[in-house]
Amino acid sequence: MAKRRKIKKVKTKRNRRSIFDIIKDSLRYSRSLYIIMAIVITVLIAGVLGVIYIRDNYTIKNIYVSGNTHYTNEEIIDMVMTDKMCDNSIYLSLKYRNKSIEGVPFIEKMSVEIVSPETVRINVYEKAVAGYISYLGRYMYFDRDGIVVESSLEASSNVPEVLGLSFNYVIIHEKLPVEKQEVFEEILDITQLLSKYNLHANKIFFDSEYNVYLYFDGIEVSIGTKDYIDEKIIQLQYILPNLEGKSGILEMKDFNEDTKNVTFEEKKQ
């Protein structure tokens, strides 16, 4: 008769946690959660306070513009302050940090300088324009080397129109193809002298012999050659105010340091 084997029942011991352990772990978890929440709330409060402080103490109240002649201060400011956030000096300093504003007609670049939390300065660096010519319905502006630096549909009141130059074509960023290339330096010298003595010629005309004629509204000034050009323009600052409202020809081509010959022939209205 087969013997029955006794099967021993092995009881497995279950890990039972006490209620105390569960409460202890729950409190530990809750404490960590509270700490995290407190840190987050503290950071948020600090951030809000920081934003309020920056808003109240870094709002731009004074804007200075320097170096601009083709555009007014208001126009330059509008080019820089492009959105509402630009009223804040910190935002503005980050927006234009190591970055200049380019692509504006007649302007090489513009930079923004933060002077104080409430004050900024916009520095404008304009292209060195000597004059402009009219070509195919556009105004082509050139520098002292005769290189066309800008093309515009508008004529500038700050730069004289140059007439009498002969050329067959105009290419932007290239020299105007005129016979006498040194005429461009002469043009810039004239415009700088006029600016120095606060004179604003509407036009500069060169005849076939490159004699110079300046036009101030109704007054035509025959300058002649570039000889004694400085002395002639110095005299102009004293003569032109006396001719205001008149129309005629002011003859200065024979003016020199000896004769100082100047005549005026008034045109009858």
Side-chain angles (χ1 to χ4, degrees), residues 18-36:
S18 65
I19 295 177
F20 177 77
D21 291 334
I22 295 173
I23 294 174
K24 185 177 179 181
D25 290 344
S26 178
L27 288 175
R28 187 182 297 113
Y29 173 78
S30 298
R31 191 180 299 113
S32 299
L33 185 61
Y34 289 145
I35 292 172
I36 293 172

Side-chain angles (χ1 to χ4, degrees), residues 113-159:
E113 176 186 356
I114 308 301
V115 179
S116 70
E118 298 181 346
T119 304
V120 299
R121 178 181 289 108
I122 303 172
N123 299 308
V124 181
Y125 303 90
E126 294 187 340
K127 294 176 180 177
V129 177
Y132 72 87
I133 58 170
S134 179
Y135 183 75
L136 298 179
R138 298 187 69 87
Y139 300 104
M140 317 298 286
Y141 293 81
F142 57 87
D143 62 14
R144 70 176 304 154
D145 297 317
I147 296 175
V148 179
V149 296
E150 197 67 57
S151 172
S152 175
L153 291 171
E154 297 182 0
S156 173
S157 60
N158 299 312
V159 179

Side-chain angles (χ1 to χ4, degrees), residues 203-234:
K203 299 177 182 179
I204 300 175
F205 173 73
F206 290 89
D207 65 15
S208 58
E209 301 296 325
Y210 287 94
N211 291 306
V212 181
Y213 298 82
L214 304 179
Y215 292 85
F216 300 85
D217 296 327
I219 304 297
E220 175 187 316
V221 183
S222 176
I223 295 293
T225 65
K226 64 180 180 179
D227 295 334
Y228 302 103
I229 186 70
D230 297 56
E231 291 82 356
K232 292 174 183 178
I233 292 180
I234 288 173

Side-chain angles (χ1 to χ4, degrees), residues 153-182:
L153 291 171
E154 297 182 0
S156 173
S157 60
N158 299 312
V159 179
E161 181 179 9
V162 178
L163 303 170
L165 301 182
S166 179
F167 49 86
N168 297 321
Y169 61 89
V170 176
I171 301 177
I172 195 76
H173 303 311
E174 291 190 11
K175 279 190 175 185
L176 286 172
V178 299
E179 181 181 357
K180 185 181 177 181
Q181 287 291 317
E182 56 267 28

Side-chain angles (χ1 to χ4, degrees), residues 7-250:
I7 299 175
K8 294 183 180 181
K9 294 182 178 181
V10 179
K11 295 181 178 181
T12 58
K13 186 178 181 180
R14 294 181 179 178
N15 294 326
R16 295 182 178 178
R17 300 180 63 197
S18 65
I19 295 177
F20 177 77
D21 291 334
I22 295 173
I23 294 174
K24 185 177 179 181
D25 290 344
S26 178
L27 288 175
R28 187 182 297 113
Y29 173 78
S30 298
R31 191 180 299 113
S32 299
L33 185 61
Y34 289 145
I35 292 172
I36 293 172
M37 290 179 63
I39 292 173
V40 171
I41 292 172
T42 301
V43 171
L44 289 174
I45 293 175
V48 171
L49 292 176
V51 169
I52 294 174
Y53 178 81
I54 291 173
R55 182 198 64 190
D56 293 342
N57 293 276
Y58 289 84
T59 299
I60 297 173
K61 298 179 181 178
N62 305 303
I63 302 177
Y64 299 103
V65 182
S66 63
N68 55 310
T69 58
H70 288 279
Y71 298 97
T72 65
N73 289 354
E74 290 73 20
E75 288 173 327
I76 293 295
I77 291 171
D78 288 340
M79 294 177 192
V80 174
M81 314 289 279
T82 56
D83 55 72
K84 293 182 179 180
M85 290 292 290
C86 286
D87 289 334
N88 183 271
S89 60
I90 290 181
Y91 172 83
L92 198 66
S93 66
L94 293 174
K95 182 176 182 179
Y96 294 110
R97 185 178 182 182
N98 298 325
K99 177 185 176 183
S100 59
I101 304 169
E102 300 177 350
V104 180
F106 306 112
I107 293 179
E108 193 71 35
K109 66 177 182 177
M110 289 190 291
S111 64
V112 180
E113 176 186 356
I114 308 301
V115 179
S116 70
E118 298 181 346
T119 304
V120 299
R121 178 181 289 108
I122 303 172
N123 299 308
V124 181
Y125 303 90
E126 294 187 340
K127 294 176 180 177
V129 177
Y132 72 87
I133 58 170
S134 179
Y135 183 75
L136 298 179
R138 298 187 69 87
Y139 300 104
M140 317 298 286
Y141 293 81
F142 57 87
D143 62 14
R144 70 176 304 154
D145 297 317
I147 296 175
V148 179
V149 296
E150 197 67 57
S151 172
S152 175
L153 291 171
E154 297 182 0
S156 173
S157 60
N158 299 312
V159 179
E161 181 179 9
V162 178
L163 303 170
L165 301 182
S166 179
F167 49 86
N168 297 321
Y169 61 89
V170 176
I171 301 177
I172 195 76
H173 303 311
E174 291 190 11
K175 279 190 175 185
L176 286 172
V178 299
E179 181 181 357
K180 185 181 177 181
Q181 287 291 317
E182 56 267 28
V183 70
F184 298 113
E185 286 191 24
E186 187 175 344
I187 292 170
L188 185 61
D189 289 341
I190 292 171
T191 56
Q192 288 179 338
L193 282 169
L194 292 173
S195 177
K196 180 179 179 180
Y197 298 106
N198 200 29
L199 298 173
H200 303 282
N202 308 115
K203 299 177 182 179
I204 300 175
F205 173 73
F206 290 89
D207 65 15
S208 58
E209 301 296 325
Y210 287 94
N211 291 306
V212 181
Y213 298 82
L214 304 179
Y215 292 85
F216 300 85
D217 296 327
I219 304 297
E220 175 187 316
V221 183
S222 176
I223 295 293
T225 65
K226 64 180 180 179
D227 295 334
Y228 302 103
I229 186 70
D230 297 56
E231 291 82 356
K232 292 174 183 178
I233 292 180
I234 288 173
Q235 290 301 315
L236 271 180
Q237 68 175 321
Y238 303 114
I239 296 173
L240 288 178
N242 298 321
L243 301 178
E244 188 173 354
K246 296 182 180 181
S247 178
I249 300 175
L250 182 65

